[in-house]
Amino acid sequence: MVAYVLFRSTAVRVEPPAAGPAQTVVCRDVQTLLPDPLGGRPRRDTTPASTLTAAWGDPAVVLRCGVARPSALTLTAELFRANGVSWFPEQVPGGWRFTATGRQAYVEVTVPGTQQQGSATLVDLAPAVSNADPVRPGGAP
């Protein structure tokens, strides 16, 4: 128990996105539905504290809600679905970044490691995204 408290007190630096008012409301709802733990990774505090960010484990899986649409996301971009949520994958140094598409707020999840590890994480995060932010009419990316 003491180790968990000490671990949780080590906040992860996560820059909150500049979300608009409507996205901020959606992101607050997402925040209340996020799992703890996530795939066996304990939840960690983020700094600065924000309802737009979350983190789990070490190295951290990081979630940012209300991010801008990824510039590489096009109408023909390859997406994959996890538990009813469409995700746009991008390889980044040390892992993968996945962005939930077709919703009012873009939710970005950065996962250290392989795309396979990211896929399992997204399965666990998808219910929070889909329950807080239903698919937009037309489902455009």
Side-chain angles (χ1 to χ4, degrees), residues 71-133:
S71 59
L73 178 61
T74 65
L75 291 176
T76 59
E78 204 167 314
L79 306 175
F80 72 90
R81 291 179 63 81
N83 275 358
V85 176
S86 294
W87 298 91
F88 174 63
E90 298 175 277
Q91 193 163 18
V92 295
W96 288 82
R97 179 174 48 229
F98 302 91
T99 306
T101 66
R103 297 173 188 275
Q104 187 170 353
Y106 288 100
V107 177
E108 173 189 281
V109 179
T110 304
V111 181
T114 67
Q115 186 171 10
Q116 175 95 13
Q117 291 165 314
S119 299
T121 298
L122 299 179
V123 167
D124 293 341
L125 291 173
V129 173
S130 63
N131 289 326
D133 192 4

Side-chain angles (χ1 to χ4, degrees), residues 37-83:
L38 175 63
R41 294 171 179 252
R43 182 86 179 253
R44 295 180 64 184
D45 293 329
T46 58
T47 185
S50 173
T51 59
L52 304 176
T53 63
W56 298 264
D58 186 17
V61 170
V62 172
L63 179 142
R64 298 173 67 230
C65 186
V67 298
R69 176 189 170 121
S71 59
L73 178 61
T74 65
L75 291 176
T76 59
E78 204 167 314
L79 306 175
F80 72 90
R81 291 179 63 81
N83 275 358

